[in-house]
Amino acid sequence: MTSPNTPDLVFVAAIAAAHGVRGECKVKTFTGDPAAAFTYGPFLDANGVEILRAKRWRPVKDGWVVAFDKEMSREEAQALRGTRLHVPRSALPALDEEEYYHADLIGLTVETLDGTPMGRVKAMHDFGSGDLMEITGTPERPGDWFLPFTHACVPHISLKDRRVTIDPPEEVGSKDEEEGGEG
């Protein structure tokens, strides 16, 4: 996600918790190659100020355990919980055609193939079965909803026009219809 204060920064990881007693932190990364987040240089805050440098990292079940070059107590590490870690966009690898950083999609207008407004991209997620686009503000549809981030469901993205065109699958009928009831 692009930082609101400094658009040339990209949010690539967050500190989830302290790990152990040696000041290490459990970190969740949001990069295509999860380990690459630690190779883009020092981590910056949302204002572009250097806050941490990864010294060592190792994968764990749902993230990474990271030792930073700044020695910390467990309490100091725990105080960093929720810290968002950014890097300069220039540190990230170049993208191929039709590849996008998730950060560039957040906030884009969403519409269907026929131009019907569908809200805005709220977030991008990967819960283990592929990328999902979270959409918010869809007229006549309460709450946020998810759409698979595939070429079939998201056939066109225009960063220049700040627009995502979607082709969502047909809506499933009502529960009464599914159960053969009246509806």
Side-chain angles (χ1 to χ4, degrees):
M1 171 179 294
T2 303
S3 164
N5 300 333
T6 310
D8 290 340
L9 295 180
V10 178
F11 168 49
V12 294
I15 297 178
H19 181 83
V21 295
R22 296 188 192 118
E24 294 178 318
C25 295
K26 188 164 184 187
V27 175
K28 178 154 179 62
T29 62
F30 306 106
T31 52
D33 172 2
F38 306 111
T39 66
Y40 297 140
F43 290 118
L44 313 173
D45 67 13
N47 295 311
V49 176
E50 182 177 327
I51 52 176
L52 295 167
R53 286 180 182 262
K55 184 167 71 174
R56 291 184 317 278
W57 53 91
R58 65 184 184 280
V60 291
K61 182 179 178 184
D62 53 351
W64 298 83
V65 172
V66 180
F68 294 102
D69 65 348
K70 172 184 170 189
E71 289 195 29
M72 295 183 277
S73 67
R74 177 176 174 75
E75 293 74 24
E76 289 170 317
Q78 189 59 30
L80 292 173
R81 184 173 188 253
T83 299
R84 295 166 60 106
L85 305 172
H86 302 80
V87 298
R89 180 177 294 277
S90 61
L92 299 173
L95 297 174
D96 291 333
E97 189 174 326
E98 293 200 23
E99 282 189 324
Y100 306 92
Y101 286 120
H102 289 176
D104 294 333
L105 302 176
I106 309 302
L108 296 185
T109 299
V110 179
E111 63 183 35
T112 61
L113 293 170
D114 66 4
T116 302
M118 295 298 285
R120 295 198 172 279
V121 177
K122 179 177 180 178
M124 297 294 295
H125 303 279
D126 185 348
F127 300 114
S129 62
D131 289 334
L132 294 173
M133 180 180 285
E134 184 176 1
I135 300 172
T136 191
T138 302
E140 300 180 24
R141 184 175 190 154
D144 302 340
W145 57 285
F146 296 92
L147 181 69
F149 190 62
T150 63
H151 190 68
C153 292
V154 185
H156 183 71
I157 296 171
S158 173
L159 295 179
K160 178 182 167 225
D161 296 330
R162 303 212 27 86
R163 183 175 27 256
V164 175
T165 304
I166 63 171
D167 187 11
E170 295 280 329
E171 292 279 331
V172 175
S174 72
K175 186 171 182 175
D176 282 345
E177 290 172 347
E178 290 174 20
E179 294 174 355
E182 297 177 28

